[in-house]
Amino acid sequence: MNPSGLDKEIILNAAEEAIRRFGPSKTNITDIAKILKVSHAAIYRHYENKAVLLEAVTERWLSRVSRPLEPIMKENNDPEAKLRCYLKTLCQNKRSSVIEDPEMFENFAILTQNSKEALSTHVEQLFAQLEEIIRKGMETGVFETDDPREMAVTVFTATSRFHYPAFAKEWENPNIESLVNSVIDLILNGVKKRN
């Protein structure tokens, strides 16, 4: 490849290919450069080091993993059904990613351990979406809380066992779907407005 035609998107594609081929721990800038048939210096013109590049790869991957949540946010369902669907989809997407894209999930898991700041945009987006659903539930008289933001963080935390990478080994439990549903039922009972 001609280095002058190199851009961040092309590098990210090659980095994903290298991660899937070698795993995130063994992937290095030279591997990515070989895939692109350029020198490693050409990569460094766009990304200052491997950590920054892998962070960019993970951010792009997370946006793809989160994409199925977007249609749920646009639906005009009642807030209870919307919150249930959102949480189930969030948990299912993360669990599916372990099976369907294990190397990229491993990259995500490594990033969550080494660079908490890198995930703040992703987590903030999830908090904002949950807050929007909860706020709508308050407006329609379905949910009751003094602070929808705090409730969004609480709901996220209560379900984290089913979507946070540190717990991925537990997702092999054959009863995982039943556990997810039980926790979601508990959450919904907790936020529903009492008559």
Side-chain angles (χ1 to χ4, degrees):
M1 165 170 231
N2 184 339
S4 65
L6 203 58
D7 65 19
K8 287 189 172 193
E9 195 67 21
I10 291 169
I11 295 169
L12 291 175
N13 290 338
E16 280 193 26
E17 183 182 333
I19 289 167
R20 288 187 180 103
R21 193 182 299 173
F22 308 115
S25 299
K26 293 183 180 174
T27 296
N28 59 47
I29 297 292
T30 304
D31 296 324
I32 298 163
K34 283 180 184 174
I35 290 169
L36 294 170
K37 297 181 174 110
V38 297
S39 71
H40 64 282
I43 307 272
Y44 285 122
R45 283 189 210 113
H46 297 274
Y47 293 98
E48 63 186 79
N49 58 44
K50 175 185 170 181
V52 171
L53 175 54
L54 294 184
E55 188 175 308
V57 168
T58 301
E59 286 172 3
R60 186 173 79 158
W61 179 79
L62 281 172
S63 72
R64 285 197 307 259
V65 170
S66 299
R67 205 168 290 143
L69 298 171
E70 293 168 12
I72 296 167
M73 294 307 297
K74 294 175 183 167
E75 290 174 2
N76 200 16
N77 288 350
D78 72 275
E80 184 177 349
K82 191 175 206 168
L83 184 57
R84 179 181 299 279
C85 183
Y86 183 93
L87 292 171
K88 285 183 77 152
T89 303
L90 172 64
C91 296
Q92 181 58 47
N93 284 355
K94 293 286 175 72
R95 287 197 324 270
S96 294
S97 68
V98 171
I99 297 163
E100 296 165 11
D101 206 354
E103 296 83 8
M104 290 301 295
F105 188 84
E106 183 186 349
N107 190 50
F108 167 55
I110 290 169
L111 190 64
T112 62
Q113 293 169 354
N114 299 331
S115 180
K116 304 282 186 215
E117 304 83 39
L119 298 172
S120 61
T121 302
H122 172 66
V123 172
E124 181 53 43
Q125 177 189 18
L126 299 177
F127 286 167
Q129 289 174 333
L130 285 166
E131 182 179 358
E132 183 182 327
I133 296 169
I134 291 165
R135 197 175 291 282
K136 186 69 172 174
M138 291 171 62
E139 291 168 5
T140 57
V142 176
F143 297 152
E144 184 172 29
T145 180
D146 294 332
D147 187 342
R149 172 64 177 200
E150 183 179 315
M151 183 58 70
V153 173
T154 301
V155 167
F156 180 85
T157 304
T159 58
S160 63
R161 187 162 222 92
F162 308 111
H163 56 78
Y164 192 72
F167 300 108
K169 282 284 182 206
E170 296 178 25
W171 301 346
E172 297 168 11
N173 181 334
N175 299 319
I176 193 73
E177 204 59 44
S178 176
L179 292 169
V180 170
N181 287 330
S182 295
V183 170
I184 292 172
D185 287 343
L186 186 66
I187 288 168
L188 289 170
N189 284 332
V191 297
K192 275 187 197 171
K193 188 169 188 175
R194 304 285 180 250
N195 292 333

mmCIF file of all heavy atoms in Angstrom, residues 84-132:
data_model
loop_
_atom_site.group_PDB
_atom_site.id
_atom_site.type_symbol
_atom_site.label_atom_id
_atom_site.label_comp_id
_atom_site.label_asym_id
_atom_site.label_seq_id
_atom_site.Cartn_x
_atom_site.Cartn_y
_atom_site.Cartn_z
ATOM 1 N N ARG A 84 -36.793 -2.878 29.981
ATOM 2 C CA ARG A 84 -36.563 -4.327 29.951
ATOM 3 C C ARG A 84 -35.817 -4.718 28.665
ATOM 4 O O ARG A 84 -34.806 -5.422 28.701
ATOM 5 C CB ARG A 84 -37.880 -5.094 30.051
ATOM 6 C CG ARG A 84 -37.692 -6.614 30.002
ATOM 7 C CD ARG A 84 -39.029 -7.350 30.078
ATOM 8 N NE ARG A 84 -39.740 -7.086 31.309
ATOM 9 C CZ ARG A 84 -39.495 -7.681 32.474
ATOM 10 N NH1 ARG A 84 -38.528 -8.598 32.547
ATOM 11 N NH2 ARG A 84 -40.186 -7.383 33.541
ATOM 12 N N CYS A 85 -36.312 -4.250 27.538
ATOM 13 C CA CYS A 85 -35.705 -4.576 26.243
ATOM 14 C C CYS A 85 -34.270 -4.049 26.162
ATOM 15 O O CYS A 85 -33.360 -4.736 25.690
ATOM 16 C CB CYS A 85 -36.564 -4.006 25.118
ATOM 17 S SG CYS A 85 -35.971 -4.420 23.480
ATOM 18 N N TYR A 86 -34.060 -2.833 26.631
ATOM 19 C CA TYR A 86 -32.730 -2.215 26.605
ATOM 20 C C TYR A 86 -31.735 -3.047 27.408
ATOM 21 O O TYR A 86 -30.648 -3.373 26.930
ATOM 22 C CB TYR A 86 -32.814 -0.789 27.157
ATOM 23 C CG TYR A 86 -31.512 -0.042 27.106
ATOM 24 C CD1 TYR A 86 -31.194 0.762 26.021
ATOM 25 C CD2 TYR A 86 -30.570 -0.148 28.137
ATOM 26 C CE1 TYR A 86 -29.979 1.447 25.961
ATOM 27 C CE2 TYR A 86 -29.366 0.527 28.077
ATOM 28 C CZ TYR A 86 -29.079 1.323 26.991
ATOM 29 O OH TYR A 86 -27.875 1.991 26.934
ATOM 30 N N LEU A 87 -32.102 -3.389 28.635
ATOM 31 C CA LEU A 87 -31.190 -4.131 29.505
ATOM 32 C C LEU A 87 -30.904 -5.531 28.965
ATOM 33 O O LEU A 87 -29.762 -5.987 28.980
ATOM 34 C CB LEU A 87 -31.757 -4.206 30.931
ATOM 35 C CG LEU A 87 -31.801 -2.875 31.682
ATOM 36 C CD1 LEU A 87 -32.568 -3.022 32.992
ATOM 37 C CD2 LEU A 87 -30.404 -2.318 31.921
ATOM 38 N N LYS A 88 -31.930 -6.201 28.468
ATOM 39 C CA LYS A 88 -31.721 -7.540 27.906
ATOM 40 C C LYS A 88 -30.797 -7.475 26.691
ATOM 41 O O LYS A 88 -29.909 -8.311 26.525
ATOM 42 C CB LYS A 88 -33.069 -8.164 27.525
ATOM 43 C CG LYS A 88 -33.861 -8.648 28.723
ATOM 44 C CD LYS A 88 -35.139 -9.319 28.306
ATOM 45 C CE LYS A 88 -34.797 -10.697 27.810
ATOM 46 N NZ LYS A 88 -35.844 -11.686 27.952
ATOM 47 N N THR A 89 -30.998 -6.469 25.850
ATOM 48 C CA THR A 89 -30.170 -6.315 24.648
ATOM 49 C C THR A 89 -28.732 -5.983 25.020
ATOM 50 O O THR A 89 -27.789 -6.552 24.451
ATOM 51 C CB THR A 89 -30.761 -5.243 23.720
ATOM 52 O OG1 THR A 89 -32.100 -5.609 23.384
ATOM 53 C CG2 THR A 89 -29.942 -5.081 22.452
ATOM 54 N N LEU A 90 -28.544 -5.089 25.970
ATOM 55 C CA LEU A 90 -27.194 -4.732 26.431
ATOM 56 C C LEU A 90 -26.455 -5.977 26.918
ATOM 57 O O LEU A 90 -25.322 -6.245 26.498
ATOM 58 C CB LEU A 90 -27.276 -3.693 27.558
ATOM 59 C CG LEU A 90 -25.967 -3.355 28.279
ATOM 60 C CD1 LEU A 90 -24.977 -2.693 27.327
ATOM 61 C CD2 LEU A 90 -26.237 -2.465 29.482
ATOM 62 N N CYS A 91 -27.100 -6.744 27.768
ATOM 63 C CA CYS A 91 -26.461 -7.940 28.329
ATOM 64 C C CYS A 91 -26.213 -8.985 27.244
ATOM 65 O O CYS A 91 -25.131 -9.587 27.187
ATOM 66 C CB CYS A 91 -27.323 -8.521 29.447
ATOM 67 S SG CYS A 91 -27.487 -7.412 30.874
ATOM 68 N N GLN A 92 -27.186 -9.199 26.384
ATOM 69 C CA GLN A 92 -27.046 -10.196 25.322
ATOM 70 C C GLN A 92 -25.928 -9.824 24.345
ATOM 71 O O GLN A 92 -25.154 -10.672 23.925
ATOM 72 C CB GLN A 92 -28.371 -10.365 24.570
ATOM 73 C CG GLN A 92 -28.326 -11.397 23.455
ATOM 74 C CD GLN A 92 -27.925 -12.781 23.929
ATOM 75 O OE1 GLN A 92 -28.449 -13.267 24.918
ATOM 76 N NE2 GLN A 92 -26.986 -13.409 23.247
ATOM 77 N N ASN A 93 -25.842 -8.550 23.984
ATOM 78 C CA ASN A 93 -24.805 -8.118 23.036
ATOM 79 C C ASN A 93 -23.401 -8.366 23.572
ATOM 80 O O ASN A 93 -22.525 -8.820 22.838
ATOM 81 C CB ASN A 93 -24.960 -6.635 22.692
ATOM 82 C CG ASN A 93 -26.087 -6.386 21.737
ATOM 83 O OD1 ASN A 93 -26.712 -7.314 21.243
ATOM 84 N ND2 ASN A 93 -26.365 -5.130 21.493
ATOM 85 N N LYS A 94 -23.191 -8.047 24.831
ATOM 86 C CA LYS A 94 -21.863 -8.255 25.408
ATOM 87 C C LYS A 94 -21.559 -9.749 25.493
ATOM 88 O O LYS A 94 -20.447 -10.177 25.186
ATOM 89 C CB LYS A 94 -21.747 -7.595 26.779
ATOM 90 C CG LYS A 94 -21.802 -6.070 26.746
ATOM 91 C CD LYS A 94 -20.524 -5.467 26.209
ATOM 92 C CE LYS A 94 -20.600 -3.964 26.042
ATOM 93 N NZ LYS A 94 -20.599 -3.179 27.246
ATOM 94 N N ARG A 95 -22.544 -10.551 25.883
ATOM 95 C CA ARG A 95 -22.319 -12.002 25.958
ATOM 96 C C ARG A 95 -22.073 -12.583 24.568
ATOM 97 O O ARG A 95 -21.201 -13.431 24.391
ATOM 98 C CB ARG A 95 -23.503 -12.696 26.633
ATOM 99 C CG ARG A 95 -23.548 -12.456 28.129
ATOM 100 C CD ARG A 95 -24.437 -13.417 28.870
ATOM 101 N NE ARG A 95 -25.633 -13.821 28.204
ATOM 102 C CZ ARG A 95 -26.808 -13.209 28.297
ATOM 103 N NH1 ARG A 95 -26.919 -12.110 29.022
ATOM 104 N NH2 ARG A 95 -27.869 -13.675 27.673
ATOM 105 N N SER A 96 -22.819 -12.134 23.587
ATOM 106 C CA SER A 96 -22.626 -12.629 22.215
ATOM 107 C C SER A 96 -21.246 -12.272 21.693
ATOM 108 O O SER A 96 -20.631 -13.052 20.956
ATOM 109 C CB SER A 96 -23.679 -12.030 21.278
ATOM 110 O OG SER A 96 -24.948 -12.501 21.624
ATOM 111 N N SER A 97 -20.755 -11.114 22.061
ATOM 112 C CA SER A 97 -19.449 -10.681 21.559
ATOM 113 C C SER A 97 -18.331 -11.597 22.041
ATOM 114 O O SER A 97 -17.330 -11.769 21.358
ATOM 115 C CB SER A 97 -19.174 -9.229 21.935
ATOM 116 O OG SER A 97 -18.996 -9.104 23.332
ATOM 117 N N VAL A 98 -18.486 -12.198 23.210
ATOM 118 C CA VAL A 98 -17.487 -13.137 23.714
ATOM 119 C C VAL A 98 -17.405 -14.352 22.796
ATOM 120 O O VAL A 98 -16.324 -14.863 22.505
ATOM 121 C CB VAL A 98 -17.836 -13.586 25.153
ATOM 122 C CG1 VAL A 98 -16.928 -14.721 25.610
ATOM 123 C CG2 VAL A 98 -17.732 -12.429 26.110
ATOM 124 N N ILE A 99 -18.566 -14.793 22.314
ATOM 125 C CA ILE A 99 -18.627 -15.984 21.450
ATOM 126 C C ILE A 99 -18.242 -15.638 20.016
ATOM 127 O O ILE A 99 -17.452 -16.339 19.389
ATOM 128 C CB ILE A 99 -20.049 -16.586 21.490
ATOM 129 C CG1 ILE A 99 -20.364 -17.058 22.914
ATOM 130 C CG2 ILE A 99 -20.208 -17.718 20.490
ATOM 131 C CD1 ILE A 99 -21.833 -17.286 23.182
ATOM 132 N N GLU A 100 -18.798 -14.549 19.488
ATOM 133 C CA GLU A 100 -18.650 -14.222 18.075
ATOM 134 C C GLU A 100 -17.348 -13.504 17.734
ATOM 135 O O GLU A 100 -16.863 -13.586 16.613
ATOM 136 C CB GLU A 100 -19.847 -13.377 17.618
ATOM 137 C CG GLU A 100 -21.164 -14.135 17.701
ATOM 138 C CD GLU A 100 -22.375 -13.226 17.597
ATOM 139 O OE1 GLU A 100 -22.220 -12.037 17.263
ATOM 140 O OE2 GLU A 100 -23.480 -13.722 17.859
ATOM 141 N N ASP A 101 -16.798 -12.777 18.689
ATOM 142 C CA ASP A 101 -15.599 -11.984 18.413
ATOM 143 C C ASP A 101 -14.681 -12.002 19.641
ATOM 144 O O ASP A 101 -14.408 -10.957 20.245
ATOM 145 C CB ASP A 101 -16.029 -10.550 18.057
ATOM 146 C CG ASP A 101 -15.032 -9.830 17.179
ATOM 147 O OD1 ASP A 101 -13.949 -10.385 16.926
ATOM 148 O OD2 ASP A 101 -15.343 -8.708 16.734
ATOM 149 N N PRO A 102 -14.204 -13.190 20.039
ATOM 150 C CA PRO A 102 -13.483 -13.309 21.310
ATOM 151 C C PRO A 102 -12.214 -12.469 21.408
ATOM 152 O O PRO A 102 -11.908 -11.942 22.482
ATOM 153 C CB PRO A 102 -13.160 -14.810 21.408
ATOM 154 C CG PRO A 102 -13.265 -15.327 20.017
ATOM 155 C CD PRO A 102 -14.274 -14.454 19.321
ATOM 156 N N GLU A 103 -11.486 -12.310 20.314
ATOM 157 C CA GLU A 103 -10.241 -11.525 20.372
ATOM 158 C C GLU A 103 -10.539 -10.043 20.612
ATOM 159 O O GLU A 103 -9.842 -9.374 21.379
ATOM 160 C CB GLU A 103 -9.424 -11.686 19.084
ATOM 161 C CG GLU A 103 -8.924 -13.090 18.853
ATOM 162 C CD GLU A 103 -9.956 -14.013 18.196
ATOM 163 O OE1 GLU A 103 -11.025 -13.521 17.776
ATOM 164 O OE2 GLU A 103 -9.704 -15.217 18.128
ATOM 165 N N MET A 104 -11.586 -9.542 19.950
ATOM 166 C CA MET A 104 -11.939 -8.134 20.165
ATOM 167 C C MET A 104 -12.510 -7.933 21.570
ATOM 168 O O MET A 104 -12.266 -6.905 22.198
ATOM 169 C CB MET A 104 -12.936 -7.669 19.099
ATOM 170 C CG MET A 104 -12.327 -7.557 17.712
ATOM 171 S SD MET A 104 -10.940 -6.403 17.632
ATOM 172 C CE MET A 104 -11.785 -4.878 17.987
ATOM 173 N N PHE A 105 -13.242 -8.925 22.066
ATOM 174 C CA PHE A 105 -13.739 -8.823 23.432
ATOM 175 C C PHE A 105 -12.574 -8.846 24.419
ATOM 176 O O PHE A 105 -12.570 -8.097 25.395
ATOM 177 C CB PHE A 105 -14.736 -9.942 23.762
ATOM 178 C CG PHE A 105 -15.395 -9.729 25.096
ATOM 179 C CD1 PHE A 105 -16.498 -8.904 25.210
ATOM 180 C CD2 PHE A 105 -14.881 -10.307 26.240
ATOM 181 C CE1 PHE A 105 -17.084 -8.667 26.448
ATOM 182 C CE2 PHE A 105 -15.457 -10.081 27.478
ATOM 183 C CZ PHE A 105 -16.567 -9.260 27.577
ATOM 184 N N GLU A 106 -11.571 -9.678 24.141
ATOM 185 C CA GLU A 106 -10.379 -9.719 24.991
ATOM 186 C C GLU A 106 -9.677 -8.356 24.986
ATOM 187 O O GLU A 106 -9.219 -7.869 26.020
ATOM 188 C CB GLU A 106 -9.416 -10.808 24.516
ATOM 189 C CG GLU A 106 -8.186 -10.948 25.393
ATOM 190 C CD GLU A 106 -7.171 -11.934 24.845
ATOM 191 O OE1 GLU A 106 -7.476 -12.673 23.889
ATOM 192 O OE2 GLU A 106 -6.049 -11.948 25.368
ATOM 193 N N ASN A 107 -9.609 -7.723 23.810
ATOM 194 C CA ASN A 107 -9.025 -6.392 23.706
ATOM 195 C C ASN A 107 -9.803 -5.408 24.582
ATOM 196 O O ASN A 107 -9.232 -4.593 25.298
ATOM 197 C CB ASN A 107 -9.020 -5.943 22.239
ATOM 198 C CG ASN A 107 -8.226 -4.688 22.019
ATOM 199 O OD1 ASN A 107 -7.089 -4.571 22.455
ATOM 200 N ND2 ASN A 107 -8.828 -3.728 21.343
ATOM 201 N N PHE A 108 -11.130 -5.497 24.536
ATOM 202 C CA PHE A 108 -12.015 -4.672 25.364
ATOM 203 C C PHE A 108 -11.742 -4.940 26.847
ATOM 204 O O PHE A 108 -11.605 -4.007 27.640
ATOM 205 C CB PHE A 108 -13.469 -4.975 24.981
ATOM 206 C CG PHE A 108 -14.514 -4.453 25.913
ATOM 207 C CD1 PHE A 108 -14.582 -3.117 26.247
ATOM 208 C CD2 PHE A 108 -15.480 -5.306 26.429
ATOM 209 C CE1 PHE A 108 -15.581 -2.629 27.090
ATOM 210 C CE2 PHE A 108 -16.478 -4.832 27.263
ATOM 211 C CZ PHE A 108 -16.523 -3.495 27.601
ATOM 212 N N ALA A 109 -11.635 -6.217 27.223
ATOM 213 C CA ALA A 109 -11.394 -6.578 28.622
ATOM 214 C C ALA A 109 -10.058 -6.024 29.109
ATOM 215 O O ALA A 109 -9.964 -5.512 30.224
ATOM 216 C CB ALA A 109 -11.450 -8.095 28.785
ATOM 217 N N ILE A 110 -9.021 -6.133 28.283
ATOM 218 C CA ILE A 110 -7.704 -5.596 28.646
ATOM 219 C C ILE A 110 -7.790 -4.083 28.847
ATOM 220 O O ILE A 110 -7.243 -3.533 29.804
ATOM 221 C CB ILE A 110 -6.647 -5.953 27.578
ATOM 222 C CG1 ILE A 110 -6.356 -7.453 27.623
ATOM 223 C CG2 ILE A 110 -5.368 -5.144 27.770
ATOM 224 C CD1 ILE A 110 -5.536 -7.966 26.449
ATOM 225 N N LEU A 111 -8.501 -3.429 27.956
ATOM 226 C CA LEU A 111 -8.638 -1.979 28.049
ATOM 227 C C LEU A 111 -9.361 -1.567 29.326
ATOM 228 O O LEU A 111 -8.997 -0.590 29.962
ATOM 229 C CB LEU A 111 -9.369 -1.436 26.818
ATOM 230 C CG LEU A 111 -9.368 0.074 26.658
ATOM 231 C CD1 LEU A 111 -7.954 0.595 26.454
ATOM 232 C CD2 LEU A 111 -10.230 0.484 25.498
ATOM 233 N N THR A 112 -10.396 -2.335 29.730
ATOM 234 C CA THR A 112 -11.128 -1.976 30.946
ATOM 235 C C THR A 112 -10.240 -2.089 32.181
ATOM 236 O O THR A 112 -10.452 -1.382 33.157
ATOM 237 C CB THR A 112 -12.386 -2.847 31.150
ATOM 238 O OG1 THR A 112 -12.014 -4.205 31.289
ATOM 239 C CG2 THR A 112 -13.387 -2.666 30.043
ATOM 240 N N GLN A 113 -9.237 -2.955 32.129
ATOM 241 C CA GLN A 113 -8.320 -3.102 33.260
ATOM 242 C C GLN A 113 -7.237 -2.033 33.254
ATOM 243 O O GLN A 113 -6.812 -1.572 34.308
ATOM 244 C CB GLN A 113 -7.648 -4.477 33.218
ATOM 245 C CG GLN A 113 -8.607 -5.613 33.448
ATOM 246 C CD GLN A 113 -7.966 -6.958 33.136
ATOM 247 O OE1 GLN A 113 -6.850 -7.038 32.643
ATOM 248 N NE2 GLN A 113 -8.693 -8.023 33.427
ATOM 249 N N ASN A 114 -6.792 -1.644 32.068
ATOM 250 C CA ASN A 114 -5.620 -0.765 31.971
ATOM 251 C C ASN A 114 -5.932 0.704 31.732
ATOM 252 O O ASN A 114 -5.072 1.547 31.941
ATOM 253 C CB ASN A 114 -4.691 -1.254 30.855
ATOM 254 C CG ASN A 114 -4.190 -2.651 31.119
ATOM 255 O OD1 ASN A 114 -4.064 -3.058 32.262
ATOM 256 N ND2 ASN A 114 -3.921 -3.394 30.066
ATOM 257 N N SER A 115 -7.106 1.003 31.242
ATOM 258 C CA SER A 115 -7.389 2.390 30.871
ATOM 259 C C SER A 115 -8.855 2.721 31.127
ATOM 260 O O SER A 115 -9.674 2.728 30.226
ATOM 261 C CB SER A 115 -7.051 2.600 29.388
ATOM 262 O OG SER A 115 -7.312 3.922 29.015
ATOM 263 N N LYS A 116 -9.182 2.966 32.380
ATOM 264 C CA LYS A 116 -10.570 3.257 32.764
ATOM 265 C C LYS A 116 -11.116 4.481 32.028
ATOM 266 O O LYS A 116 -12.282 4.531 31.676
ATOM 267 C CB LYS A 116 -10.669 3.497 34.271
ATOM 268 C CG LYS A 116 -10.152 2.371 35.124
ATOM 269 C CD LYS A 116 -11.132 1.245 35.218
ATOM 270 C CE LYS A 116 -10.624 0.205 36.198
ATOM 271 N NZ LYS A 116 -10.928 -1.136 35.853
ATOM 272 N N GLU A 117 -10.267 5.466 31.754
ATOM 273 C CA GLU A 117 -10.714 6.693 31.094
ATOM 274 C C GLU A 117 -11.180 6.417 29.663
ATOM 275 O O GLU A 117 -12.082 7.068 29.157
ATOM 276 C CB GLU A 117 -9.601 7.743 31.059
ATOM 277 C CG GLU A 117 -9.014 8.101 32.405
ATOM 278 C CD GLU A 117 -7.937 7.119 32.882
ATOM 279 O OE1 GLU A 117 -7.126 6.640 32.068
ATOM 280 O OE2 GLU A 117 -7.923 6.833 34.077
ATOM 281 N N ALA A 118 -10.553 5.432 29.047
ATOM 282 C CA ALA A 118 -10.867 5.141 27.645
ATOM 283 C C ALA A 118 -12.307 4.693 27.462
ATOM 284 O O ALA A 118 -12.904 4.896 26.408
ATOM 285 C CB ALA A 118 -9.918 4.082 27.109
ATOM 286 N N LEU A 119 -12.886 4.100 28.482
ATOM 287 C CA LEU A 119 -14.252 3.593 28.365
ATOM 288 C C LEU A 119 -15.297 4.576 28.853
ATOM 289 O O LEU A 119 -16.491 4.310 28.756
ATOM 290 C CB LEU A 119 -14.365 2.289 29.161
ATOM 291 C CG LEU A 119 -13.454 1.198 28.628
ATOM 292 C CD1 LEU A 119 -13.461 0.008 29.550
ATOM 293 C CD2 LEU A 119 -13.855 0.793 27.242
ATOM 294 N N SER A 120 -14.854 5.705 29.367
ATOM 295 C CA SER A 120 -15.808 6.643 29.959
ATOM 296 C C SER A 120 -16.841 7.145 28.955
ATOM 297 O O SER A 120 -18.008 7.317 29.300
ATOM 298 C CB SER A 120 -15.085 7.817 30.614
ATOM 299 O OG SER A 120 -14.342 8.534 29.663
ATOM 300 N N THR A 121 -16.462 7.335 27.703
ATOM 301 C CA THR A 121 -17.420 7.796 26.685
ATOM 302 C C THR A 121 -18.506 6.753 26.461
ATOM 303 O O THR A 121 -19.693 7.076 26.418
ATOM 304 C CB THR A 121 -16.696 8.086 25.356
ATOM 305 O OG1 THR A 121 -15.691 9.061 25.600
ATOM 306 C CG2 THR A 121 -17.660 8.589 24.300
ATOM 307 N N HIS A 122 -18.093 5.498 26.344
ATOM 308 C CA HIS A 122 -19.052 4.407 26.143
ATOM 309 C C HIS A 122 -20.008 4.298 27.329
ATOM 310 O O HIS A 122 -21.232 4.253 27.159
ATOM 311 C CB HIS A 122 -18.283 3.096 25.948
ATOM 312 C CG HIS A 122 -19.135 1.876 25.931
ATOM 313 N ND1 HIS A 122 -20.058 1.620 24.945
ATOM 314 C CD2 HIS A 122 -19.207 0.830 26.790
ATOM 315 C CE1 HIS A 122 -20.658 0.472 25.193
ATOM 316 N NE2 HIS A 122 -20.156 -0.024 26.301
ATOM 317 N N VAL A 123 -19.459 4.279 28.524
ATOM 318 C CA VAL A 123 -20.284 4.139 29.722
ATOM 319 C C VAL A 123 -21.189 5.348 29.892
ATOM 320 O O VAL A 123 -22.368 5.212 30.238
ATOM 321 C CB VAL A 123 -19.396 3.912 30.969
ATOM 322 C CG1 VAL A 123 -20.207 3.953 32.247
ATOM 323 C CG2 VAL A 123 -18.676 2.572 30.854
ATOM 324 N N GLU A 124 -20.685 6.528 29.608
ATOM 325 C CA GLU A 124 -21.502 7.741 29.711
ATOM 326 C C GLU A 124 -22.682 7.686 28.749
ATOM 327 O O GLU A 124 -23.792 8.109 29.085
ATOM 328 C CB GLU A 124 -20.645 8.983 29.447
ATOM 329 C CG GLU A 124 -21.394 10.290 29.562
ATOM 330 C CD GLU A 124 -22.143 10.462 30.871
ATOM 331 O OE1 GLU A 124 -21.578 10.131 31.939
ATOM 332 O OE2 GLU A 124 -23.294 10.931 30.843
ATOM 333 N N GLN A 125 -22.465 7.156 27.559
ATOM 334 C CA GLN A 125 -23.558 7.011 26.594
ATOM 335 C C GLN A 125 -24.630 6.072 27.147
ATOM 336 O O GLN A 125 -25.829 6.347 27.036
ATOM 337 C CB GLN A 125 -23.030 6.483 25.262
ATOM 338 C CG GLN A 125 -24.121 6.251 24.235
ATOM 339 C CD GLN A 125 -23.622 5.522 22.999
ATOM 340 O OE1 GLN A 125 -22.557 4.901 23.015
ATOM 341 N NE2 GLN A 125 -24.381 5.588 21.931
ATOM 342 N N LEU A 126 -24.215 4.968 27.750
ATOM 343 C CA LEU A 126 -25.166 4.024 28.334
ATOM 344 C C LEU A 126 -25.922 4.668 29.493
ATOM 345 O O LEU A 126 -27.146 4.513 29.604
ATOM 346 C CB LEU A 126 -24.443 2.753 28.797
ATOM 347 C CG LEU A 126 -23.730 1.954 27.713
ATOM 348 C CD1 LEU A 126 -23.005 0.760 28.315
ATOM 349 C CD2 LEU A 126 -24.679 1.512 26.617
ATOM 350 N N PHE A 127 -25.220 5.410 30.350
ATOM 351 C CA PHE A 127 -25.886 6.114 31.450
ATOM 352 C C PHE A 127 -26.947 7.083 30.909
ATOM 353 O O PHE A 127 -28.063 7.153 31.419
ATOM 354 C CB PHE A 127 -24.873 6.926 32.280
ATOM 355 C CG PHE A 127 -23.989 6.114 33.183
ATOM 356 C CD1 PHE A 127 -22.879 6.702 33.753
ATOM 357 C CD2 PHE A 127 -24.251 4.785 33.477
ATOM 358 C CE1 PHE A 127 -22.035 5.983 34.593
ATOM 359 C CE2 PHE A 127 -23.417 4.049 34.311
ATOM 360 C CZ PHE A 127 -22.312 4.657 34.877
ATOM 361 N N ALA A 128 -26.571 7.834 29.882
ATOM 362 C CA ALA A 128 -27.494 8.824 29.315
ATOM 363 C C ALA A 128 -28.737 8.155 28.731
ATOM 364 O O ALA A 128 -29.859 8.657 28.894
ATOM 365 C CB ALA A 128 -26.780 9.656 28.250
ATOM 366 N N GLN A 129 -28.560 7.022 28.063
ATOM 367 C CA GLN A 129 -29.707 6.319 27.494
ATOM 368 C C GLN A 129 -30.617 5.781 28.593
ATOM 369 O O GLN A 129 -31.844 5.916 28.514
ATOM 370 C CB GLN A 129 -29.229 5.189 26.576
ATOM 371 C CG GLN A 129 -28.617 5.709 25.298
ATOM 372 C CD GLN A 129 -28.004 4.611 24.442
ATOM 373 O OE1 GLN A 129 -27.579 3.569 24.939
ATOM 374 N NE2 GLN A 129 -27.940 4.853 23.140
ATOM 375 N N LEU A 130 -30.022 5.188 29.622
ATOM 376 C CA LEU A 130 -30.828 4.691 30.739
ATOM 377 C C LEU A 130 -31.558 5.837 31.437
ATOM 378 O O LEU A 130 -32.746 5.715 31.783
ATOM 379 C CB LEU A 130 -29.938 3.937 31.739
ATOM 380 C CG LEU A 130 -29.483 2.557 31.300
ATOM 381 C CD1 LEU A 130 -28.349 2.055 32.192
ATOM 382 C CD2 LEU A 130 -30.641 1.574 31.297
ATOM 383 N N GLU A 131 -30.869 6.942 31.616
ATOM 384 C CA GLU A 131 -31.499 8.105 32.250
ATOM 385 C C GLU A 131 -32.686 8.597 31.434
ATOM 386 O O GLU A 131 -33.734 8.951 31.982
ATOM 387 C CB GLU A 131 -30.478 9.225 32.430
ATOM 388 C CG GLU A 131 -31.055 10.439 33.125
ATOM 389 C CD GLU A 131 -30.034 11.551 33.320
ATOM 390 O OE1 GLU A 131 -28.853 11.380 32.948
ATOM 391 O OE2 GLU A 131 -30.442 12.609 33.839
ATOM 392 N N GLU A 132 -32.542 8.605 30.119
ATOM 393 C CA GLU A 132 -33.635 9.041 29.240
ATOM 394 C C GLU A 132 -34.858 8.138 29.399
ATOM 395 O O GLU A 132 -35.990 8.621 29.487
ATOM 396 C CB GLU A 132 -33.153 9.030 27.790
ATOM 397 C CG GLU A 132 -34.179 9.526 26.793
ATOM 398 C CD GLU A 132 -33.669 9.456 25.360
ATOM 399 O OE1 GLU A 132 -32.458 9.638 25.132
ATOM 400 O OE2 GLU A 132 -34.509 9.215 24.467
#
